[in-house]
Amino acid sequence: MDKAVISMEKIPTTPDSYIMKMGRRAGVIMHLSSLPGDHGIGDIGESAHAFVDALADMDVAVWQFLPLGPTAYGDSPYQPLSAFAGNANLIGLHQLVELGLLHEPELSSLSQLPREYCDYGHLIPAKRELLREASRRLMKRRGGSLMAEFEEFLHRESSWLHDYALFRVLKSLHNERPWPEWDPSFVHRDHAALETAKREHREAIDTVLVTQFLFDRQWRELKLYASERGICLFGDIPIYIALDSADAWARREMLLLDDEGRPSNVAGVPPDYFSEDGQLWGNPLYDWAYHEQSGFEWWIERMRHLARQCDLVRIDHFRGFESFWSVPYSETTAKNGEWIPGPRDALFKAMKNELGPLGIVAEDLGVITPEVDALRLGQGFPGMVVLQFEAGDPEFEMDSIDANSVCYTGTHDNDTTVGWFHGTGDDTRTPEEVLASQELVLERTGGSPETIHRDMIALAMSSKANLAVAPMQDFLGLGSEARINTPGTTKDNWRWRMQEGDIDAALAEQVAEMVESSSRAP
């Protein structure tokens, strides 16, 4: 079988999207942190390489994961501290032992952490200390290939890296408070104050630089390993950046912020069927006039960076490019806002002129207007269909799913299929609604309550969508206890982990048969 994967940077000019050129394929959603492993969290080293092997055994050709950026309070990958940096918690430690930057006995502090879930409170400080020691050892080296790689990395990523390193050190010096609450000299990026901080905290800055280098180095190894085995890496980014991020601190001119770093208006979505107050996200809004005047330079660099990491990328809240909901900063709900035109085609035209055709999947869930559909279709971007939202609707027709789309059983924001089917967890449906949904889903799938996870995956794979994806929890048949995120809450999210041996030979064979029978084998 030819399992070659086309890099997003090398797709020839064509009106077809990446997934249309890829052909019918099956995929899985599995965040890096959820992988099994020895050190309290999944990583981009041995954990990820082993998962790539498992995917190849299952003939699952697409691996979708959540944003890779460094997390802050709440551990959400959707509020990263940088649009470019990597999450240091995901660095594989065995590789650092192989490089001589750590010694095996030093890893014992992490080997004692739970394997069933991520205990971030203990993981983060322990791993930070190990990475600090690895950084010290690398910086003591003089010459050699690894130091040459490091110096090349510093040059290649200079547009964001040094600001990010200084941001992280200053944030630590201010007890992790958001940057608008720092000393005014740092809020306003006073040149003398920043230069003094660089001199006085050189070692701490070097630690951040080395850590980012190690993340980048391991990710490049993973990208090559996945490509050699025919596995497409499918990334994910939020449309907005966090106010408490290096990007907002260093590039505030691209946002609607005042001199003190306060946003005039913030992002969200208006009230709908699911929320009478709407959703007030609080992210600062882009100054799209500035972006257009700059030729969308920052967005182009963001997509170029992602193209080196992934073959595909899903952009969360795609509808914000057509029009976005702007809420005054003083509001406590998203009720009182207004729709403001977004950059629309101009942004994607600028990206394509610089980067060529884009491997973008548009998150177009919720209330979508004809104008948003026109923007997506005009660019040829695939949209999303989530069967947990649709399969229980008697008016929904599977034949309505377009080939240029991604069909999911559920996403990281949904309960597992087993939990959803049984109405467990934090389900807001009435018992009558759950029962009605169950009856219709069983009719659609021809399955049973005991096999509903496999039946829903088979339904997604039977669709016309060129890419059918299910969370790993659905392949494993797990219930609500394995849910990774409940939107609108901050407790116990992003903690679930798969266990060693969960993907055994029987499961691999079963999944491969499903993939083959739906004509999705590579």
Side-chain angles (χ1 to χ4, degrees):
M1 293 182 294
D2 180 9
K3 294 187 176 184
V5 173
I6 305 171
S7 168
M8 183 167 120
E9 294 179 292
K10 299 177 181 177
I11 302 173
T13 301
T14 170
D16 293 334
S17 73
Y18 180 90
I19 68 166
M20 292 300 289
K21 293 190 69 64
M22 187 169 55
R24 286 175 64 82
R25 294 291 183 265
V28 62
I29 304 176
M30 180 67 166
H31 192 42
L32 279 300
S33 64
S34 296
L35 294 170
D38 298 332
H39 303 130
I41 190 171
D43 61 53
I44 61 178
E46 288 186 335
S47 296
H49 287 240
F51 191 63
V52 166
D53 291 339
L55 294 180
D57 289 341
M58 294 188 290
D59 274 343
V60 172
V62 178
W63 177 6
Q64 181 175 346
F65 41 84
L66 309 187
L68 298 172
T71 57
Y73 176 78
D75 308 303
S76 171
Y78 289 91
Q79 292 287 338
L81 294 171
S82 168
F84 295 87
N87 185 347
N89 295 322
L90 301 178
I91 292 173
L93 298 180
H94 284 305
Q95 280 83 343
L96 304 191
V97 173
E98 292 172 359
L99 291 172
L101 300 179
L102 291 176
H103 306 302
E104 191 68 37
E106 294 174 325
L107 311 187
S108 61
S109 60
L110 294 180
S111 300
Q112 308 303 315
L113 292 175
R115 291 174 175 262
E116 297 78 17
Y117 61 91
C118 295
D119 180 358
Y120 291 107
H122 290 93
L123 166 74
I124 292 172
K127 193 154 189 175
R128 182 187 296 130
E129 184 53 42
L130 287 174
L131 293 174
R132 185 180 294 121
E133 185 57 39
S135 172
R136 290 193 192 106
R137 288 171 182 165
L138 177 60
M139 295 305 292
K140 287 179 181 177
R141 295 184 180 182
R142 293 293 180 266
S145 60
L146 191 61
M147 181 56 73
E149 285 184 48
F150 175 54
E151 291 171 352
E152 187 275 332
F153 170 76
L154 295 180
H155 175 73
R156 169 166 42 89
E157 305 297 337
S158 61
S159 64
W160 63 269
L161 179 62
H162 299 282
D163 277 324
Y164 172 71
L166 184 56
F167 170 84
R168 289 304 302 264
V169 170
L170 292 174
K171 187 172 173 61
S172 176
L173 293 173
H174 289 86
N175 296 314
E176 301 298 330
R177 296 199 306 275
W179 66 264
E181 299 177 16
W182 295 354
D183 181 279
S185 64
F186 296 127
V187 170
H188 297 292
R189 294 178 59 85
D190 176 77
H191 178 75
L194 296 185
E195 290 302 312
T196 298
K198 291 175 185 178
R199 288 194 304 272
E200 293 180 350
H201 303 284
R202 184 71 260 169
E203 183 177 342
I205 290 172
D206 284 343
T207 295
V208 180
L209 297 176
V210 171
T211 298
Q212 287 304 304
F213 162 65
L214 295 173
F215 181 97
D216 179 82
R217 190 177 193 274
Q218 290 189 7
W219 188 265
R220 285 169 174 267
E221 291 176 348
L222 174 62
K223 180 71 165 58
L224 178 61
Y225 191 80
S227 181
E228 289 172 343
R229 284 151 184 78
I231 304 300
C232 164
L233 296 184
F234 184 0
D236 191 354
I237 61 167
I239 182 174
Y240 294 115
I241 62 173
L243 175 61
D244 189 21
S245 68
D247 312 274
W249 176 64
R251 298 287 302 273
R252 67 193 72 180
E253 68 276 4
M254 68 180 186
L255 302 167
L256 297 176
L257 299 175
D258 65 16
D259 291 341
E260 303 301 320
R262 292 185 297 261
S264 56
N265 290 65
V266 294
V269 289
D272 58 19
Y273 174 81
F274 299 100
S275 174
E276 63 180 17
D277 290 332
Q279 299 178 42
L280 186 63
W281 299 332
N283 300 77
L285 297 170
Y286 294 110
D287 183 343
W288 285 118
Y290 166 83
H291 284 275
E292 186 162 13
Q293 291 167 5
S294 68
F296 298 102
E297 176 188 15
W298 183 84
W299 270 96
I300 289 169
E301 287 308 306
R302 189 183 192 188
M303 292 305 299
R304 194 192 310 276
H305 185 78
L306 287 162
R308 292 197 294 265
Q309 293 182 323
C310 314
D311 304 292
L312 271 172
V313 61
R314 186 195 83 130
I315 301 184
D316 202 26
H317 194 59
F318 178 83
R319 74 105 53 243
F321 293 119
E322 194 282 324
S323 295
F324 55 92
W325 190 244
S326 174
V327 183
Y329 181 57
S330 58
E331 294 290 329
T332 57
T333 74
K335 287 182 177 180
N336 299 318
E338 62 175 331
W339 288 109
I340 306 292
R344 299 176 178 169
D345 287 300
L347 170 62
F348 301 110
K349 181 179 179 180
M351 284 192 208
K352 287 180 179 179
N353 286 342
E354 281 289 322
L355 306 174
L358 306 169
I360 287 175
V361 172
E363 186 275 293
D364 58 345
L365 305 175
V367 180
I368 299 299
T369 66
E371 291 80 8
V372 178
D373 283 333
L375 175 63
R376 179 181 66 79
L377 293 171
Q379 295 295 331
F381 297 152
M384 293 175 55
V385 178
V386 179
L387 292 183
Q388 284 193 24
F389 297 148
E390 306 291 1
D393 181 353
E395 297 183 5
F396 175 72
E397 298 290 342
M398 287 294 294
D399 284 345
S400 67
I401 299 177
D402 186 69
N404 190 27
S405 62
V406 185
C407 183
Y408 294 84
T409 55
T411 74
H412 66 279
D413 281 336
N414 295 99
D415 200 348
T416 67
T417 287
V418 170
W420 164 80
F421 179 81
H422 293 288
T424 54
D426 295 319
D427 203 307
T428 59
R429 295 173 295 171
T430 67
E432 293 76 18
E433 289 172 332
V434 171
L435 181 60
S437 177
Q438 288 175 341
E439 292 175 349
L440 183 55
V441 169
L442 291 176
E443 181 182 338
R444 285 189 190 276
T445 62
S448 69
E450 294 74 26
T451 61
I452 192 59
H453 57 290
R454 291 199 300 271
D455 302 331
M456 281 284 280
I457 294 172
L459 184 64
M461 289 192 183
S462 73
S463 73
K464 291 187 295 185
N466 253 32
L467 179 56
V469 179
M472 192 66 229
Q473 295 95 314
D474 285 357
F475 283 104
L476 296 174
L478 301 178
S480 298
E481 75 283 352
R483 182 171 186 168
I484 194 171
N485 180 49
T486 303
T489 68
T490 57
K491 184 179 179 182
D492 294 332
N493 291 329
W494 322 113
R495 286 160 59 89
W496 175 77
R497 295 186 71 195
M498 185 170 71
Q499 298 303 293
E500 297 278 3
D502 278 355
I503 304 178
D504 56 19
L507 178 62
E509 182 179 359
Q510 180 186 86
V511 174
E513 289 176 356
M514 295 174 66
V515 174
E516 179 70 32
S517 64
S518 60
S519 301
R520 295 181 181 276

